[in-house]
Amino acid sequence: MVSTIPLLDYLFNTRNVAIIGASADSMKTGGVIFNNLIKDGYTGNVFPVNPRYEEIGGKKCYSSISEIREKIDLAIIVLKAELVSDAVKQCVKKEVEYAVIISGGFSETGDAGKKLESELLKIIEGTGTRIIGPNTVGIYLPYMRLNTSLTPADRVNFPGEGRIALVSQSGALGLLLMDEMSEMGTGVSCFLNLGNRIDLDESDLLQYFESDNRTDSIMMYIESVADGRKFYNALKAVTRLKPTVVLKSGITETSARAAMLHTGAMSSDDAIFDGVLKQAGAVRASNETELYDFARVLAYNPEMRGKRVAVITTAGGAGVVSTDLLTSMTGNGKLELSTFSDSTKSAIKSLIVPFASAANPVDITAEGSVDTYEKILEILVRSEEVDAILAFALPQTARMNESIVPVIKKYSKFKPIVVSIIGSKLAIPLLRKFEGEGIAAYPSITRAVESMKALHSYYRMRGGSGD
Amino acid sequence: MVSTIPLLDYLFNTRNVAIIGASADSMKTGGVIFNNLIKDGYTGNVFPVNPRYEEIGGKKCYSSISEIREKIDLAIIVLKAELVSDAVKQCVKKEVEYAVIISGGFSETGDAGKKLESELLKIIEGTGTRIIGPNTVGIYLPYMRLNTSLTPADRVNFPGEGRIALVSQSGALGLLLMDEMSEMGTGVSCFLNLGNRIDLDESDLLQYFESDNRTDSIMMYIESVADGRKFYNALKAVTRLKPTVVLKSGITETSARAAMLHTGAMSSDDAIFDGVLKQAGAVRASNETELYDFARVLAYNPEMRGKRVAVITTAGGAGVVSTDLLTSMTGNGKLELSTFSDSTKSAIKSLIVPFASAANPVDITAEGSVDTYEKILEILVRSEEVDAILAFALPQTARMNESIVPVIKKYSKFKPIVVSIIGSKLAIPLLRKFEGEGIAAYPSITRAVESMKALHSYYRMRGGSGD
């Protein structure tokens, strides 16, 4: 089998896109996608294909893809299921690299649809054309403003350019996650929805990301794996360079049945899958929030070399709750609180008010200023007793403000720093500021703590951190 | 010992408040609190006390509380620790019901501070004066706009009037939680910060809430319990009427040490505490988000009579993920997916597009309309196979919109309905709409699922739901 990497280069550098089934009716899917591509400012060329129109939105409309003179990299197919085979045949003839089949009505609907999928596979066999989908919302590449999704932009926000790749077997979950990521200002390097995944699969993408210089970490939602061996190899290779977080659902008997009804996927034994992930060095998420949270902590932080965590806070209660959560066993294990030496303690003691705590968690109280915070970070980063720092950056007291962002940014180069912020009024704008600077900040104590455990888990699997 | 309930009636119906240590300097704590009370529009009367001023903000300032002719219900003390004893003596003489001691510098700072606390207790012994604190941010009663907290309102949002009481040993955590609750539009019936809790404690408050007609459910953050027996009795009594959620921190040896440094509290063995909560029928939260989430699900829903859950969704992936989470074991146990009878299935089948799923989870797909959603809710609410409904209300598809809110509201009277919404653009406004209607809606799948488990756990402990 030919490596998929050169082919995926075409996909991620698409210049000319045809829409087979484009429509002038903005209420129809073929109209929504055409409008999205134009309005979003896709940097390449769009070629509408539909025998019923001369032109759409001022662009010449072709009666068939064969009429187009230019080379087509990507064809988006928005036709009824029974018309898709013929369109794919034409794509093969035109030597289109990728056919993104938006249409539903395939294996997810039963045996007749499954037969249609087999037909499609036969058509592309031995050709240079690859299929994405069917039953997919397609691909989103913010760096070239290519968005094949059928969701109008007035209903969902799409993230800007970022360093995290998102691959999802479910289209809706992927779109909803991107909407959520946008709210925080988190960008993506790409989004691809596998849909029924009859050809291009999650492993092809992992192979591509290995050398993709736009991607630092990978988020993947899957209900099943197309090819276990290929998946394991691709995952093991990519995780050496790019931390990968996998949300695999369908783990119980009941949910496996639900998954089958959703994308026709047969999910395998969960314990086996769990072992595969661990051996391949991938981090597992147990829900959609962890998927997003873990991808950020892994993309933004340096290596975590051990499990000893220092906590710094201006609110004593937050320090106590986080200590509970850090030292309790959850999905990604448990961590330890650093034990400070006398010299560390006395260095901290000299910086804080008498009733503040110089032990770990370091509680600089509501009296604590950004300046004090910085001096303590300096001590913690230099200390041999500390592997990572959980930093409460609570903007609600008089001496804390947004200048905490560059301070934490400065020290986050040397050791992992995970930020937790609670509240809303000043908290939400501050969370966005941290995210903009590439610092993993979370609006809850648990989310920060679980993310730090995921970070530790990733480096422990790579053999880099003591356990 | 005299029951605390009549006394707490004074507190919750405070008419006249004195601020001992009021200041004309808006940078000083005594100035911030004075300004907050006036600006927030406290419906009672404010009496500043400070021998250094004739008047503050146009109000006559008294050199001592004894000079005030009116009866004082509540005195807020904002003095240096060593001056507090004298102020409390004057409060006793003036027959003030409650002295809220904002000042820090007591047991949280060491032995000298502990001695000061013993002094205070001796002063009030056998008198009608009770102490809140010291080291507290005090009390917030939105129905009379009484806010003794020292946090300026430009840094934290305070929630409006609602049906949930919040009691916190930590002032900062309480304030931050309220800030977070405000963002969603969740109101509180009251907030009280126990601080060092030398006198008024969590059990006194539980006793009060039992008959407080402003409160439907209770959120409590504690690091330790003042009196185990009293706590158990009060908790057992109140949970029969008002579901109570407790976040108890200091559960590990390390965090117990952190708690001691924070409020001087000695936390006891966690397993014992866990047993006490279960026997008393209280629900335990493991972090601050669960505390808030569980209080809402318990305040807003009717009884959950069993563990069989129906899921309805427009996004297949959300159905699969939620099935995993519902049927996996976590802190509050696990639930089951309802098995639909053939007649239920065919009733649903007749309402949805052919490729949608009539099994549980019911996936009405992106084609699903609010009208279809309503008809299916009708079936699920009437079905004997369903004890509760997890409803994904995802506003991102063309046929879903905010009219889903009154639809879910209508059926939530009959069976518990917990709503999950993912995304931001249309999702966040919709979450607020649900909250405004008293429907527990969550911006994540896990938070919705864990909340439903908490609801089940509460009714199971009361013996009302099969397990």
Side-chain angles (χ1 to χ4, degrees):
Chain A
M1 197 181 183
V2 184
S3 160
T4 51
I5 296 172
L7 276 175
L8 278 167
D9 268 336
Y10 275 109
L11 180 62
F12 286 95
N13 294 289
T14 294
R15 294 300 309 156
N16 294 325
V17 174
I19 306 177
I20 304 178
S23 175
D25 182 348
S26 64
M27 298 298 284
K28 291 193 169 167
T29 309
V32 173
I33 296 179
F34 177 81
N35 287 333
N36 278 355
L37 275 176
I38 303 295
K39 266 193 259 165
D40 281 8
Y42 170 50
T43 56
N45 306 302
V46 180
F47 299 86
V49 178
N50 188 333
R52 293 168 54 204
Y53 296 100
E54 292 284 314
E55 58 100 31
I56 296 178
K59 280 197 183 293
K60 176 177 165 51
C61 186
Y62 299 83
S63 63
S64 114
I65 195 172
S66 58
E67 273 183 21
I68 304 169
R69 236 186 299 175
E70 287 83 349
K71 158 124 192 61
I72 297 295
D73 310 303
L74 184 76
I76 303 165
I77 301 178
V78 206
L79 301 169
K80 282 185 183 154
E82 56 269 28
L83 302 176
V84 169
S85 290
D86 196 52
V88 172
K89 273 180 202 158
Q90 292 180 40
C91 288
V92 168
K93 211 170 143 196
K94 174 75 185 160
E95 297 183 337
V96 170
E97 263 83 20
Y98 282 88
V100 176
I101 305 175
I102 307 288
S103 323
F106 291 87
S107 61
E108 80 280 9
T109 64
D111 287 342
K114 215 172 169 69
K115 229 185 113 197
L116 285 177
E117 286 182 358
S118 309
E119 258 180 62
L120 295 178
L121 281 177
K122 255 190 210 141
I123 293 166
I124 61 162
E125 205 184 311
T127 74
T129 301
R130 303 288 307 261
I131 288 173
I132 300 173
N135 187 22
T136 178
V137 301
I139 187 164
Y140 171 60
L141 301 175
Y143 55 92
M144 55 166 79
R145 309 207 57 71
L146 173 63
N147 186 349
T148 74
S149 105
L150 46 86
T151 305
D154 60 347
R155 297 195 155 251
V156 174
N157 283 323
F158 284 87
E161 210 175 324
R163 310 285 313 162
I164 300 172
L166 170 59
V167 176
S168 177
Q169 200 162 345
S170 161
L173 260 194
L175 292 171
L176 298 179
L177 259 170
M178 285 203 290
D179 189 20
E180 194 170 320
M181 291 165 79
S182 305
E183 181 67 11
M184 274 282 286
T186 310
V188 297
S189 57
C190 75
F191 161 66
L192 197 136
N193 171 213
L194 297 166
N196 291 4
R197 187 190 53 185
I198 61 170
D199 180 28
L200 187 89
D201 66 22
E202 58 285 354
S203 309
D204 295 327
L205 290 161
L206 290 176
Q207 281 170 32
Y208 177 78
F209 294 138
E210 201 181 331
S211 57
D212 174 29
N213 58 23
R214 285 197 183 84
T215 297
D216 287 339
S217 76
I218 302 157
M219 292 165 69
M220 183 175 277
Y221 169 75
I222 45 174
E223 295 174 355
S224 67
V225 164
D227 176 335
R229 173 58 52 185
K230 185 179 165 194
F231 179 70
Y232 174 74
N233 289 334
L235 194 61
K236 198 173 168 71
V238 76
T239 57
R240 285 175 310 167
L241 301 167
K242 315 280 171 91
T244 303
V245 187
V246 179
L247 172 57
K248 159 79 162 62
S249 68
I251 64 174
T252 64
E253 207 190 316
T254 327
S255 59
R257 207 161 47 230
M260 202 178 62
L261 292 165
H262 177 221
T263 52
M266 287 294 291
S267 74
S268 62
D269 185 278
D270 190 64
I272 295 172
F273 186 80
D274 207 63
V276 166
L277 286 193
K278 282 209 177 74
Q279 275 188 49
V283 176
R284 186 158 190 181
S286 65
N287 58 61
E288 85 287 1
T289 310
E290 285 189 357
L291 184 61
Y292 166 49
D293 285 353
F294 294 177
R296 284 192 293 147
V297 85
L298 288 159
Y300 301 162
N301 276 288
E303 183 178 347
M304 185 161 168
R305 293 168 191 268
K307 51 161 64 175
R308 298 163 307 161
V309 179
V311 179
I312 175 166
T313 183
T314 50
V320 184
V321 173
S322 64
T323 302
D324 272 338
L325 297 171
L326 281 165
T327 57
S328 297
M329 191 72 183
T330 50
N332 282 301
K334 58 180 179 174
L335 299 169
E336 285 166 12
L337 239 64
S338 302
T339 308
F340 292 163
S341 64
D342 287 344
S343 72
T344 301
K345 267 192 244 178
S346 63
I348 293 172
K349 195 84 195 159
S350 71
L351 296 169
I352 56 182
V353 292
F355 55 87
S357 169
N360 192 11
V362 181
D363 177 6
I364 64 173
T365 79
E367 300 293 318
S369 66
V370 174
D371 184 52
T372 307
Y373 208 105
E374 174 162 14
K375 287 176 179 148
I376 292 172
L377 279 182
E378 174 86 31
I379 296 169
L380 298 177
V381 164
R382 285 175 183 277
S383 163
E384 298 271 331
E385 306 137 20
V386 175
D387 297 313
I389 298 161
L390 176 64
F392 285 93
L394 304 168
Q396 295 91 348
T397 53
R399 297 176 187 195
M400 289 295 286
N401 55 57
E402 292 189 345
S403 65
I404 191 68
V405 179
V407 165
I408 289 183
K409 170 95 179 160
K410 178 176 157 194
Y411 292 101
S412 67
K413 293 184 192 100
F414 306 106
K415 273 182 191 170
I417 303 185
V418 177
V419 172
S420 180
I421 303 176
I422 315 166
S424 68
K425 189 166 189 156
L426 301 180
I428 296 171
L430 186 60
L431 281 162
R432 291 199 187 104
K433 279 249 156 69
F434 275 113
E435 180 66 23
E437 292 294 329
I439 293 165
Y442 301 94
S444 103
I445 306 178
T446 309
R447 287 174 63 181
V449 166
E450 293 302 322
S451 298
M452 187 169 268
K453 286 181 179 175
L455 185 70
H456 176 256
S457 163
Y458 173 72
Y459 286 104
R460 189 188 55 213
M461 287 185 288
R462 299 179 68 214
S465 103
D467 188 35
Chain B
M1 200 181 182
V2 184
S3 161
T4 51
I5 296 173
L7 275 175
L8 277 166
D9 269 335
Y10 275 109
L11 180 62
F12 287 96
N13 295 289
T14 294
R15 296 299 309 156
N16 293 324
V17 174
I19 307 177
I20 305 177
S23 174
D25 181 349
S26 64
M27 299 299 285
K28 291 195 169 165
T29 308
V32 173
I33 295 179
F34 177 79
N35 287 334
N36 280 354
L37 274 176
I38 303 295
K39 267 194 258 164
D40 281 9
Y42 169 49
T43 56
N45 306 302
V46 180
F47 298 85
V49 177
N50 189 332
R52 292 169 55 206
Y53 297 100
E54 293 284 315
E55 57 100 33
I56 295 177
K59 280 196 183 293
K60 175 177 165 52
C61 187
Y62 297 83
S63 63
S64 114
I65 193 170
S66 58
E67 275 183 21
I68 303 171
R69 237 184 301 173
E70 288 83 349
K71 157 123 193 63
I72 297 294
D73 310 303
L74 184 77
I76 304 166
I77 301 178
V78 207
L79 301 169
K80 282 186 182 153
E82 56 271 28
L83 302 176
V84 170
S85 291
D86 196 51
V88 172
K89 273 179 204 158
Q90 292 180 40
C91 287
V92 167
K93 211 169 142 198
K94 174 75 184 158
E95 296 183 339
V96 169
E97 262 82 20
Y98 282 89
V100 176
I101 305 174
I102 307 288
S103 324
F106 291 88
S107 61
E108 81 280 10
T109 64
D111 287 341
K114 217 173 168 66
K115 229 185 114 197
L116 284 177
E117 287 182 358
S118 311
E119 258 180 62
L120 294 177
L121 280 177
K122 255 190 210 142
I123 293 166
I124 62 163
E125 206 183 308
T127 75
T129 301
R130 302 290 307 260
I131 289 173
I132 300 174
N135 187 22
T136 178
V137 300
I139 187 162
Y140 172 59
L141 301 175
Y143 55 92
M144 56 166 79
R145 310 207 58 69
L146 173 63
N147 186 349
T148 74
S149 105
L150 48 85
T151 306
D154 60 346
R155 296 195 156 250
V156 173
N157 282 323
F158 284 87
E161 210 176 323
R163 310 285 313 161
I164 301 172
L166 171 59
V167 176
S168 177
Q169 201 163 346
S170 160
L173 260 195
L175 292 171
L176 299 178
L177 259 170
M178 286 202 289
D179 189 19
E180 195 171 319
M181 291 166 79
S182 305
E183 181 67 10
M184 273 282 285
T186 310
V188 296
S189 58
C190 76
F191 160 67
L192 197 138
N193 172 214
L194 297 166
N196 291 6
R197 188 190 51 186
I198 61 169
D199 181 27
L200 186 89
D201 66 21
E202 58 284 355
S203 309
D204 296 325
L205 290 161
L206 290 176
Q207 282 170 32
Y208 178 77
F209 294 138
E210 202 181 331
S211 57
D212 174 28
N213 57 22
R214 287 196 181 85
T215 297
D216 288 339
S217 76
I218 301 157
M219 293 165 67
M220 183 175 275
Y221 170 76
I222 44 174
E223 295 174 356
S224 67
V225 163
D227 176 335
R229 173 58 52 186
K230 184 178 166 195
F231 179 70
Y232 173 74
N233 289 335
L235 194 60
K236 196 172 171 69
V238 75
T239 58
R240 287 175 309 165
L241 300 167
K242 315 279 171 91
T244 303
V245 187
V246 178
L247 172 58
K248 159 79 163 63
S249 68
I251 65 174
T252 65
E253 205 189 318
T254 326
S255 59
R257 205 160 47 231
M260 202 180 61
L261 291 165
H262 177 221
T263 53
M266 286 296 290
S267 73
S268 62
D269 185 279
D270 189 63
I272 294 172
F273 186 79
D274 207 62
V276 166
L277 286 193
K278 281 207 178 73
Q279 276 189 48
V283 175
R284 187 159 188 180
S286 65
N287 58 62
E288 85 287 2
T289 311
E290 286 189 355
L291 184 61
Y292 166 49
D293 285 353
F294 294 177
R296 283 192 295 146
V297 84
L298 287 159
Y300 301 163
N301 277 288
E303 184 177 346
M304 185 162 168
R305 291 168 192 270
K307 52 162 62 175
R308 298 163 308 160
V309 179
V311 179
I312 175 166
T313 183
T314 49
V320 184
V321 172
S322 63
T323 303
D324 272 339
L325 298 170
L326 280 165
T327 57
S328 297
M329 192 71 184
T330 50
N332 281 301
K334 58 180 178 172
L335 299 169
E336 285 167 13
L337 240 63
S338 303
T339 308
F340 293 164
S341 64
D342 287 343
S343 71
T344 301
K345 268 192 244 175
S346 63
I348 294 171
K349 194 86 193 159
S350 70
L351 296 169
I352 55 181
V353 293
F355 55 87
S357 168
N360 192 10
V362 181
D363 177 7
I364 63 173
T365 79
E367 300 293 319
S369 66
V370 172
D371 185 51
T372 308
Y373 207 104
E374 174 163 14
K375 286 176 179 149
I376 292 172
L377 279 182
E378 174 86 30
I379 295 169
L380 299 177
V381 164
R382 285 175 184 276
S383 164
E384 297 271 333
E385 305 137 20
V386 175
D387 297 313
I389 298 162
L390 177 64
F392 285 94
L394 304 167
Q396 296 91 350
T397 52
R399 296 175 188 196
M400 289 296 286
N401 54 59
E402 292 188 346
S403 65
I404 191 68
V405 179
V407 166
I408 288 182
K409 170 95 178 160
K410 179 177 155 194
Y411 292 100
S412 67
K413 292 183 194 102
F414 306 106
K415 273 183 189 169
I417 303 184
V418 177
V419 172
S420 179
I421 303 177
I422 316 167
S424 67
K425 189 167 190 155
L426 300 181
I428 296 171
L430 186 60
L431 281 162
R432 291 198 189 105
K433 279 248 156 69
F434 274 113
E435 180 66 22
E437 292 294 328
I439 294 165
Y442 301 94
S444 103
I445 307 178
T446 308
R447 287 175 63 182
V449 167
E450 293 303 321
S451 298
M452 187 170 268
K453 287 180 179 176
L455 185 70
H456 176 256
S457 162
Y458 173 72
Y459 285 104
R460 191 188 54 214
M461 286 185 289
R462 298 179 70 215
S465 103
D467 187 35

